[in-house]
Amino acid sequence: MPALTPDTIRTATETLSHLTDYLRDDPAPGEALALVEPLLDEYTGLPVQIADALRALARAVQDHPDTPRSAEVDVLIMKLRTAAWEQADQHTLHYVLDDLRALYDSASGTESGCD
């Protein structure tokens, strides 16, 4: 795996931006759901990944010897951890996709698949 750089992270966010643009062009619901599904996976989706990254950032900053020890830093680290919890709470969005898929399948008279 190549080393992480700000540019590799920007590439990921650009991909999300392309997805958003694509979804604004009104694709078929089945295709749209299939594209978004990996983003909201219960275990590896963005809410979980962002929460994990925020917690890891908080830990890295807190544990680094050059980090100033102050109440202000403690508050900022707590804000990162709070944001991580808020992001993790969004992991249940995969249920929304499941429900949308079921409704779409039911309306189109199919048992599985969305197209």
Side-chain angles (χ1 to χ4, degrees):
M1 178 176 188
L4 287 176
T5 66
D7 286 338
T8 59
I9 303 305
R10 274 189 209 94
T11 299
T13 59
E14 287 171 7
T15 299
L16 289 174
S17 179
H18 291 306
L19 172 63
T20 301
D21 291 342
Y22 178 78
L23 293 173
R24 288 181 179 140
D25 287 336
D26 299 324
E31 187 175 350
L33 288 167
L35 289 171
V36 173
E37 202 165 26
L39 297 177
L40 297 178
D41 183 85
E42 180 177 13
Y43 302 106
T44 60
L46 285 178
V48 173
Q49 296 296 328
I50 291 173
D52 287 348
L54 290 172
R55 280 191 286 272
L57 175 60
R59 189 176 321 107
V61 169
Q62 184 176 32
D63 292 348
H64 197 277
D66 293 340
T67 298
R69 305 297 171 210
S70 69
E72 183 180 12
V73 170
D74 291 344
V75 167
L76 294 172
I77 289 170
M78 184 56 63
K79 286 182 179 187
L80 284 173
R81 290 190 172 127
T82 299
W85 278 108
E86 291 169 356
Q87 287 299 310
D89 285 346
Q90 299 301 314
H91 83 280
T92 59
L93 285 170
H94 74 94
Y95 293 122
V96 173
L97 291 185
D98 292 345
D99 293 345
L100 281 171
R101 183 178 299 282
L103 289 171
Y104 182 76
D105 288 349
S106 159
S108 67
T110 61
E111 293 277 326
S112 63
C114 290
D115 293 323

mmCIF file of all heavy atoms in Angstrom, residues 39-57:
data_model
loop_
_atom_site.group_PDB
_atom_site.id
_atom_site.type_symbol
_atom_site.label_atom_id
_atom_site.label_comp_id
_atom_site.label_asym_id
_atom_site.label_seq_id
_atom_site.Cartn_x
_atom_site.Cartn_y
_atom_site.Cartn_z
ATOM 1 N N LEU A 39 -20.472 2.838 0.914
ATOM 2 C CA LEU A 39 -20.171 3.979 1.777
ATOM 3 C C LEU A 39 -20.815 3.858 3.147
ATOM 4 O O LEU A 39 -20.331 4.430 4.119
ATOM 5 C CB LEU A 39 -20.661 5.281 1.138
ATOM 6 C CG LEU A 39 -20.032 5.679 -0.176
ATOM 7 C CD1 LEU A 39 -20.689 6.956 -0.693
ATOM 8 C CD2 LEU A 39 -18.547 5.864 -0.008
ATOM 9 N N LEU A 40 -21.927 3.139 3.205
ATOM 10 C CA LEU A 40 -22.676 3.057 4.456
ATOM 11 C C LEU A 40 -22.676 1.653 5.043
ATOM 12 O O LEU A 40 -23.517 1.324 5.879
ATOM 13 C CB LEU A 40 -24.114 3.546 4.229
ATOM 14 C CG LEU A 40 -24.216 5.008 3.802
ATOM 15 C CD1 LEU A 40 -25.661 5.387 3.548
ATOM 16 C CD2 LEU A 40 -23.587 5.926 4.825
ATOM 17 N N ASP A 41 -21.715 0.839 4.605
ATOM 18 C CA ASP A 41 -21.603 -0.507 5.168
ATOM 19 C C ASP A 41 -21.543 -0.427 6.687
ATOM 20 O O ASP A 41 -20.885 0.460 7.254
ATOM 21 C CB ASP A 41 -20.349 -1.200 4.631
ATOM 22 C CG ASP A 41 -20.217 -2.613 5.131
ATOM 23 O OD1 ASP A 41 -20.810 -3.511 4.533
ATOM 24 O OD2 ASP A 41 -19.525 -2.806 6.158
ATOM 25 N N GLU A 42 -22.228 -1.351 7.321
ATOM 26 C CA GLU A 42 -22.350 -1.346 8.785
ATOM 27 C C GLU A 42 -20.993 -1.420 9.496
ATOM 28 O O GLU A 42 -20.821 -0.853 10.575
ATOM 29 C CB GLU A 42 -23.223 -2.533 9.202
ATOM 30 C CG GLU A 42 -23.442 -2.672 10.670
ATOM 31 C CD GLU A 42 -24.375 -3.822 11.005
ATOM 32 O OE1 GLU A 42 -24.666 -4.653 10.131
ATOM 33 O OE2 GLU A 42 -24.798 -3.876 12.157
ATOM 34 N N TYR A 43 -20.042 -2.108 8.895
ATOM 35 C CA TYR A 43 -18.764 -2.336 9.568
ATOM 36 C C TYR A 43 -17.597 -1.551 8.965
ATOM 37 O O TYR A 43 -16.641 -1.233 9.664
ATOM 38 C CB TYR A 43 -18.419 -3.828 9.550
ATOM 39 C CG TYR A 43 -19.486 -4.655 10.215
ATOM 40 C CD1 TYR A 43 -20.358 -5.427 9.451
ATOM 41 C CD2 TYR A 43 -19.651 -4.625 11.594
ATOM 42 C CE1 TYR A 43 -21.359 -6.171 10.068
ATOM 43 C CE2 TYR A 43 -20.655 -5.362 12.210
ATOM 44 C CZ TYR A 43 -21.501 -6.128 11.436
ATOM 45 O OH TYR A 43 -22.503 -6.848 12.034
ATOM 46 N N THR A 44 -17.661 -1.255 7.672
ATOM 47 C CA THR A 44 -16.523 -0.616 7.009
ATOM 48 C C THR A 44 -16.901 0.675 6.289
ATOM 49 O O THR A 44 -16.067 1.247 5.587
ATOM 50 C CB THR A 44 -15.888 -1.573 5.981
ATOM 51 O OG1 THR A 44 -16.882 -1.912 4.997
ATOM 52 C CG2 THR A 44 -15.360 -2.824 6.656
ATOM 53 N N GLY A 45 -18.111 1.140 6.444
ATOM 54 C CA GLY A 45 -18.573 2.343 5.760
ATOM 55 C C GLY A 45 -17.947 3.613 6.308
ATOM 56 O O GLY A 45 -17.234 3.613 7.314
ATOM 57 N N LEU A 46 -18.250 4.704 5.638
ATOM 58 C CA LEU A 46 -17.668 5.995 6.017
ATOM 59 C C LEU A 46 -17.945 6.421 7.453
ATOM 60 O O LEU A 46 -17.023 6.915 8.115
ATOM 61 C CB LEU A 46 -18.139 7.080 5.058
ATOM 62 C CG LEU A 46 -17.485 7.062 3.689
ATOM 63 C CD1 LEU A 46 -18.072 8.156 2.809
ATOM 64 C CD2 LEU A 46 -15.993 7.227 3.806
ATOM 65 N N PRO A 47 -19.166 6.266 7.967
ATOM 66 C CA PRO A 47 -19.366 6.697 9.359
ATOM 67 C C PRO A 47 -18.410 5.998 10.324
ATOM 68 O O PRO A 47 -17.823 6.633 11.200
ATOM 69 C CB PRO A 47 -20.823 6.332 9.643
ATOM 70 C CG PRO A 47 -21.483 6.364 8.306
ATOM 71 C CD PRO A 47 -20.434 5.848 7.344
ATOM 72 N N VAL A 48 -18.225 4.705 10.130
ATOM 73 C CA VAL A 48 -17.328 3.942 11.011
ATOM 74 C C VAL A 48 -15.882 4.354 10.780
ATOM 75 O O VAL A 48 -15.123 4.568 11.732
ATOM 76 C CB VAL A 48 -17.521 2.426 10.774
ATOM 77 C CG1 VAL A 48 -16.496 1.616 11.537
ATOM 78 C CG2 VAL A 48 -18.933 2.006 11.141
ATOM 79 N N GLN A 49 -15.505 4.503 9.510
ATOM 80 C CA GLN A 49 -14.119 4.865 9.190
ATOM 81 C C GLN A 49 -13.768 6.268 9.692
ATOM 82 O O GLN A 49 -12.688 6.489 10.231
ATOM 83 C CB GLN A 49 -13.888 4.773 7.679
ATOM 84 C CG GLN A 49 -14.021 3.380 7.124
ATOM 85 C CD GLN A 49 -12.969 2.429 7.666
ATOM 86 O OE1 GLN A 49 -11.847 2.818 7.967
ATOM 87 N NE2 GLN A 49 -13.338 1.180 7.816
ATOM 88 N N ILE A 50 -14.693 7.207 9.499
ATOM 89 C CA ILE A 50 -14.427 8.573 9.977
ATOM 90 C C ILE A 50 -14.345 8.593 11.501
ATOM 91 O O ILE A 50 -13.464 9.243 12.074
ATOM 92 C CB ILE A 50 -15.485 9.562 9.445
ATOM 93 C CG1 ILE A 50 -15.294 9.725 7.937
ATOM 94 C CG2 ILE A 50 -15.377 10.912 10.146
ATOM 95 C CD1 ILE A 50 -16.375 10.530 7.263
ATOM 96 N N ALA A 51 -15.240 7.869 12.150
ATOM 97 C CA ALA A 51 -15.194 7.800 13.618
ATOM 98 C C ALA A 51 -13.861 7.219 14.084
ATOM 99 O O ALA A 51 -13.223 7.764 14.992
ATOM 100 C CB ALA A 51 -16.359 6.967 14.144
ATOM 101 N N ASP A 52 -13.430 6.146 13.459
ATOM 102 C CA ASP A 52 -12.147 5.539 13.829
ATOM 103 C C ASP A 52 -10.986 6.498 13.583
ATOM 104 O O ASP A 52 -10.064 6.596 14.396
ATOM 105 C CB ASP A 52 -11.921 4.241 13.053
ATOM 106 C CG ASP A 52 -12.799 3.103 13.538
ATOM 107 O OD1 ASP A 52 -13.431 3.227 14.611
ATOM 108 O OD2 ASP A 52 -12.859 2.075 12.831
ATOM 109 N N ALA A 53 -11.028 7.209 12.462
ATOM 110 C CA ALA A 53 -9.951 8.150 12.144
ATOM 111 C C ALA A 53 -9.921 9.297 13.156
ATOM 112 O O ALA A 53 -8.834 9.711 13.591
ATOM 113 C CB ALA A 53 -10.119 8.691 10.722
ATOM 114 N N LEU A 54 -11.091 9.804 13.537
ATOM 115 C CA LEU A 54 -11.134 10.888 14.525
ATOM 116 C C LEU A 54 -10.607 10.430 15.883
ATOM 117 O O LEU A 54 -9.869 11.163 16.546
ATOM 118 C CB LEU A 54 -12.552 11.436 14.662
ATOM 119 C CG LEU A 54 -13.068 12.235 13.465
ATOM 120 C CD1 LEU A 54 -14.550 12.543 13.645
ATOM 121 C CD2 LEU A 54 -12.261 13.497 13.270
ATOM 122 N N ARG A 55 -10.978 9.219 16.288
ATOM 123 C CA ARG A 55 -10.455 8.687 17.562
ATOM 124 C C ARG A 55 -8.944 8.494 17.497
ATOM 125 O O ARG A 55 -8.220 8.809 18.444
ATOM 126 C CB ARG A 55 -11.155 7.378 17.918
ATOM 127 C CG ARG A 55 -12.512 7.555 18.535
ATOM 128 C CD ARG A 55 -13.040 6.241 19.107
ATOM 129 N NE ARG A 55 -13.458 5.335 18.060
ATOM 130 C CZ ARG A 55 -14.680 5.304 17.517
ATOM 131 N NH1 ARG A 55 -15.600 6.148 17.929
ATOM 132 N NH2 ARG A 55 -14.967 4.444 16.572
ATOM 133 N N ALA A 56 -8.466 7.976 16.368
ATOM 134 C CA ALA A 56 -7.021 7.768 16.213
ATOM 135 C C ALA A 56 -6.280 9.105 16.208
ATOM 136 O O ALA A 56 -5.195 9.219 16.787
ATOM 137 C CB ALA A 56 -6.744 6.994 14.925
ATOM 138 N N LEU A 57 -6.873 10.112 15.562
ATOM 139 C CA LEU A 57 -6.266 11.449 15.577
ATOM 140 C C LEU A 57 -6.206 11.997 16.998
ATOM 141 O O LEU A 57 -5.164 12.516 17.423
ATOM 142 C CB LEU A 57 -7.054 12.401 14.672
ATOM 143 C CG LEU A 57 -6.607 13.864 14.696
ATOM 144 C CD1 LEU A 57 -5.157 14.014 14.250
ATOM 145 C CD2 LEU A 57 -7.548 14.704 13.849
#
